[in-house]
Amino acid sequence: MDTMTDTTTDGLQISSVLDMHENPMVLIDEHYRIVAANHAYQEAYGVLAADIVGRHCHEISHHSPMPCHQRGEDCPHQAVFSTGQAHEVRHVHFDPSNRAEHVRIRGHAIMGLAGQRYLGEEIIRLADQDEVITCGEMQMVGRSPAFLRCLHHIEMAARTEASILLHGESGVGKELAASAIHHFSARQRGPFITVDCTSLPDTLFESEILGHERGAFTGCLGRKRGLFETADGGTLFLDEIGELPLAMQAKFLRVLESGSFRRLGGAETLHADVRVVAATNRDLREMVAARSFRADLYYRLAAITVSLPPLRERREDIPGIARVLLQRIGASWGGRWELSREAEIRLCAYDFPGNVRELRNILQKAAALAAGPVILVEDLDLDLEDGRSTPSVPIAAVRCPAGPTHGRPGPAALPALLQRFGGNRRLVADAMGVSERTVYRWLRQG
C-alpha cells in the first residue's frame, strides 16, 4: 500500500474521532494535505469532505499556493510537526465564498493507525469581519501576520489575571489594545478605567487614584471614590506609565501589591480587586537602569509584556484601517469618501512615524481637500512638518519595480512585492497593474 493510500485509510478511520469535536476540525498530513474533515467543518463551510480531501490546507484556508509560514505567519503545521507539542494561533481564514474571518486555530499532534503523524487542526470561528473590538470611535482592524500575532498574544494574556505591560510607539493604539484585553478577560463585565499618567500631578495623585473623604483638604466638600476603587472588579489602564514621577511610583506600588488603600483623609482601610494594564512608548528597562523608574514597580507591572507593531510593519492592513477611518470621518462630517487605488498604494508605501493617529489626521485633511468622494494621490499631504515624515518608497517605485514586461512588472518582481505588502495579493496586483487572478496564476506557476 503506497503512502497516499495509507494516509487515506488513516483519514477514514480517524474521521469518526474528529466527529466527536463540536468545532470544525481537519486532519492534515506532513505534506500539508487534508486527509479528513469532520461533520462540523463540512456544515460550517458548506462543503463535503470529498471536496477538500487531498488538497493543501493553505490552498483551502488561506487561498494561497504556499504554506502560511512562508508568508510570515505563525504556522501550527510547522510548529506541531517540528515539536510534537500542541500549538495555538490566531489566523484569518477564507470560506468558500472568499469571505475572510478571524479564527483561532488549535493544532494537536495525532498518530495514525499506520504509524504516520498528522496535525489535527481545530478551528474556533471568532468573527466574520475585520473589526475585532471597538473602543470609542476606533476599531482594531487587520489581517497581517504582525497584527494577528499581536492579537493572539493579547487574547492569551487576557485569559490570565497577571498584570500586563503594553509597549509600542506613539499612535499604535495602546488604549485600544488595553480595551481588547479587558474585553477578552473574565472581567469584561466590570469597569474599564483609564488613567492618563501624563496629566496626573503629584498634588492630585492620592485624591484621583485613592479618593478622599469630606474635609480632607481645603475646599473638599464631599467624599470621592478614587479611580482604583472605581475599577474594582474590572481593569485599570495606566496610559504612559513611564511618565509617572518617582514619588508617585512608590505610592502606587504599595497599592498594587496589596490591593488595600485608604482614601485621603480617611481612617478605614479599603480593598479593591483590580487587574492592571499599563502602557508606554518608552524603554522602561533603560529607565530602571538610569534609576528614573523603580525596578520593583516595573517587575510588578510587566508580568506579561505585549509589543504592538507599528503601522510600517503591517502595511497590508493600511487599506482596511483607512476604510474604517473614512467611514468614521464621513459619519461625523456628513459625507462619504474612498481612496483611489493610487492613493491607497501611496499610503501603503509610507512609513507613518505617527502610526494610526497620523493616518487618521492625513485622511481628515485629504477628505477636506478632495474635490469629490474619491481621494486622489494629490489630496494626500505626506510631507508633514516632521522631517521624518517622507515616503520610504516613491510611488513610482511601488508601481513599477524592477523587471517590467511590456511596461508592467512581471513575475520576477513578485517576491519583492509580496514581501513589501505582506503577501496581500490585491495590493501586489494593484502595484503591478494586473489582476489579482494573474498574480495568483503566476504564483502557482512559480
Side-chain angles (χ1 to χ4, degrees):
M1 184 179 290
D2 59 29
T3 303
M4 188 60 192
T5 303
D6 285 343
T7 298
T8 303
T9 302
D10 269 346
L12 292 173
Q13 293 174 323
I14 295 175
S15 61
S16 59
V17 178
L18 301 185
D19 284 332
M20 297 173 62
H21 289 263
E22 61 180 14
N23 290 316
M25 192 168 184
V26 292
L27 190 70
I28 303 169
D29 70 12
E30 62 180 333
H31 302 294
Y32 302 94
R33 292 180 305 214
I34 296 174
V35 175
N38 69 356
H39 288 310
Y41 183 97
Q42 296 174 65
E43 292 176 1
Y45 292 103
V47 297
L48 297 175
D51 297 331
I52 62 173
V53 167
R55 299 175 66 183
H56 292 114
C57 57
H58 48 82
E59 176 189 358
I60 299 299
S61 298
H62 295 284
H63 293 184
S64 170
M66 64 182 71
C68 53
H69 70 87
Q70 294 182 12
R71 299 170 57 248
E73 293 192 71
D74 188 355
C75 178
H77 185 284
Q78 186 184 46
V80 170
F81 272 94
S82 61
T83 68
Q85 302 297 314
H87 192 70
E88 185 169 324
V89 300
R90 192 181 187 110
H91 275 186
V92 169
H93 277 189
F94 293 88
D95 66 15
S97 300
N98 204 37
R99 292 189 298 264
E101 62 176 3
H102 283 267
V103 296
R104 189 163 64 245
I105 304 296
R106 291 175 181 163
H108 308 273
I110 295 178
M111 185 67 70
L113 300 179
Q116 289 182 280
R117 292 194 304 157
Y118 298 98
L119 164 68
E121 189 171 275
E122 183 181 5
I123 303 168
I124 298 93
R125 306 174 79 184
L126 301 176
D128 292 329
Q129 304 296 327
D130 278 359
E131 179 181 340
V132 177
I133 187 69
T134 300
C135 176
E137 294 188 351
M138 290 300 296
Q139 299 164 345
M140 292 193 77
V141 175
R143 299 178 181 176
S144 68
F147 174 80
L148 293 178
R149 280 194 298 271
C150 178
L151 195 59
H152 177 68
H153 293 159
I154 285 173
E155 189 173 358
M156 295 300 102
R159 295 180 181 181
T160 74
E161 282 292 304
S163 298
I164 299 173
L165 178 64
L166 301 173
H167 180 266
E169 297 176 5
S170 177
V172 295
K174 293 187 284 293
E175 182 172 2
L176 190 57
S179 178
I181 289 171
H182 178 72
H183 173 82
F184 289 133
S185 76
R187 297 173 175 264
Q188 59 178 283
R189 296 185 182 277
F192 177 75
I193 305 298
T194 297
V195 178
D196 182 1
C197 296
T198 63
S199 61
L200 198 63
D202 294 20
T203 53
L204 293 180
F205 173 80
E206 289 181 291
S207 175
E208 290 295 315
I209 299 297
L210 306 182
H212 58 72
E213 298 289 349
R214 182 176 181 177
F217 50 84
T218 303
C220 177
L221 302 179
R223 171 185 291 178
K224 175 184 177 182
R225 298 175 72 218
L227 296 176
F228 190 81
E229 185 178 356
T230 304
D232 187 25
T235 303
L236 183 67
F237 173 50
L238 305 171
D239 196 12
E240 297 305 341
I241 188 66
E243 305 301 324
L244 197 66
L246 275 171
M248 288 190 283
Q249 291 177 26
K251 295 178 181 179
F252 200 60
L253 177 62
R254 288 195 293 271
V255 177
L256 293 182
E257 286 181 334
S258 65
S260 300
F261 62 96
R262 291 179 182 175
R263 296 194 189 107
L264 189 63
E268 181 184 4
T269 298
L270 304 173
H271 182 83
D273 175 21
V274 176
R275 200 270 187 83
V276 175
V277 177
T280 183
N281 60 8
R282 304 178 66 178
D283 190 331
L284 293 188
R285 287 174 297 185
E286 287 187 359
M287 294 180 66
V288 169
R291 299 183 181 275
S292 58
F293 198 88
R294 293 181 63 101
D296 46 7
L297 179 57
Y298 169 75
Y299 290 114
R300 177 67 179 79
L301 295 172
I304 298 176
T305 302
V306 177
S307 295
L308 307 181
L311 205 50
R312 62 182 173 275
E313 292 181 5
R314 43 181 296 222
R315 296 180 191 272
E316 60 267 46
D317 293 336
I318 292 174
I321 297 172
R323 282 192 290 272
V324 170
L325 291 173
L326 287 174
Q327 288 170 5
R328 293 288 180 181
I329 294 169
S332 298
W333 295 4
R336 185 175 181 177
W337 290 272
E338 63 182 27
L339 292 168
S340 69
R341 286 189 175 183
E342 291 76 12
E344 190 175 274
I345 294 170
R346 181 62 176 264
L347 287 176
C348 290
Y350 182 60
D351 275 350
F352 288 102
N355 293 292
V356 178
R357 185 181 297 123
E358 183 182 9
L359 173 59
R360 181 185 60 208
N361 294 342
I362 288 171
L363 293 176
Q364 285 179 332
K365 186 172 183 179
L369 296 176
V374 178
I375 294 175
L376 307 175
V377 170
E378 50 265 33
D379 298 322
L380 299 175
D381 183 7
L382 300 183
D383 283 324
L384 305 182
E385 62 275 6
D386 186 342
R388 297 170 301 163
S389 300
T390 54
S392 61
V393 183
I395 188 68
V398 175
R399 292 188 59 80
C400 301
T405 302
H406 301 297
R408 288 179 176 176
L414 274 177
L417 284 172
L418 284 168
Q419 182 176 10
R420 182 183 304 283
F421 293 113
N424 188 308
R425 294 196 304 271
R426 186 171 69 84
L427 290 180
V428 171
D430 288 345
M432 301 180 81
V434 299
S435 69
E436 188 175 353
R437 185 182 297 274
T438 298
V439 171
Y440 186 75
R441 176 169 52 82
W442 285 346
L443 287 170
R444 290 180 66 87
Q445 292 173 349

